[in-house]
Amino acid sequence: MKLALLATLALGVPGLAIAQPARTNLTPAQTLAKVEATYAAAKEIAGEFTQIQLNATFGTTELSRGTFEIARPDKIRFDYFNKKNKPSKSFVFDGTTLWYEEPLNRRVTKTAASTSALPSAIAFLATPGQTAKEFTIAPPANKNHLVPGSIVYAPSGDAMTYELTKVNLVAKLAPERFAYVVPKGYELKTAPQPKPSVPPKP
């Protein structure tokens, strides 16, 4: 799996474009260090995102938009909205449990998880020090050292891209945004825990 933080990105999605930033004389390693430093001091982060899922087999892309809120070190919320700007789904991670809400189906799925289970494309936002371990810069980031996008390439050729906009590194988030409560009338499902792998006998 290949990971990259992007300064410019185009996947052939109509209406989607990211302005190219001014280039600097920094090496990719120096740029990565400055990106890391920019995010390291942030305690609460909020913004908007565009998610593009590329299916290489069928040559199709699926576009989604929404907002994200992060309270470091271990709380994260992603809310997706449909074309009519109504909630379509939400992911809320409170540090120990991942809640997946589907308003259309009036259903919530509960999964025990940890920050290590977060998608790599967004984990760098929640986990300080994650950027340098997981990503390469392609091409150098913008002069403010904010990350306008990230992309994860799968061996199959599929790709998951996040474009990040209106990023606020000094956001003031209400704690209840991460204290998820199942809405009245919603079905609650608990995802089964994966069985621990058993090493083969010698």
Side-chain angles (χ1 to χ4, degrees):
M1 183 177 293
K2 182 180 179 183
L3 310 177
L5 296 181
L6 305 179
T8 59
L9 176 67
L11 288 181
V13 180
L16 177 65
I18 302 176
Q20 182 165 347
R23 292 182 176 272
T24 69
N25 294 323
L26 298 176
T27 66
Q30 290 171 328
T31 300
L32 195 56
K34 287 188 174 292
V35 167
E36 194 72 77
T38 297
Y39 285 87
K43 297 185 182 300
E44 297 184 334
I45 307 172
E48 299 180 3
F49 69 88
T50 299
Q51 175 187 302
I52 310 122
Q53 187 169 358
L54 170 66
N55 186 312
T57 302
F58 297 101
T60 59
T61 56
E62 182 179 347
L63 182 68
S64 304
R65 290 188 171 91
T67 61
F68 67 89
E69 299 166 85
I70 294 169
R72 286 176 161 177
D74 58 1
K75 293 178 177 59
I76 184 168
R77 180 180 185 120
F78 270 64
D79 293 303
Y80 290 72
F81 298 91
N82 60 24
K83 293 180 180 179
K84 295 182 179 179
N85 205 34
K86 293 184 177 181
S88 59
K89 60 183 177 181
S90 294
F91 293 90
V92 182
F93 180 63
D94 61 13
T96 59
T97 303
L98 177 64
W99 305 87
Y100 172 39
E101 179 181 304
E102 303 171 85
L104 183 61
N105 298 322
R106 298 181 66 81
R107 181 171 60 208
V108 173
T109 303
K110 172 184 176 182
T111 308
S114 67
T115 51
S116 62
L118 294 175
S120 296
I122 59 173
F124 77 94
L125 289 170
T127 310
Q130 190 79 2
T131 313
K133 294 178 182 178
E134 297 284 352
F135 290 89
T136 57
I137 293 285
N142 58 48
K143 61 183 179 181
N144 295 321
H145 303 109
L146 291 175
V147 176
S150 65
I151 183 168
V152 176
Y153 297 95
S156 62
D158 294 350
M160 178 68 76
T161 301
Y162 285 88
E163 175 198 352
L164 307 178
T165 57
K166 299 182 180 179
V167 178
N168 181 2
L169 298 182
V170 291
K172 301 297 182 183
L173 305 176
E176 53 267 26
R177 293 292 293 162
F178 307 99
Y180 186 80
V181 176
V182 179
K184 185 177 180 179
Y186 276 48
E187 174 191 6
L188 175 61
K189 298 180 64 177
T190 300
Q193 291 297 303
K195 296 181 178 180
S197 58
V198 179
K201 295 181 179 180

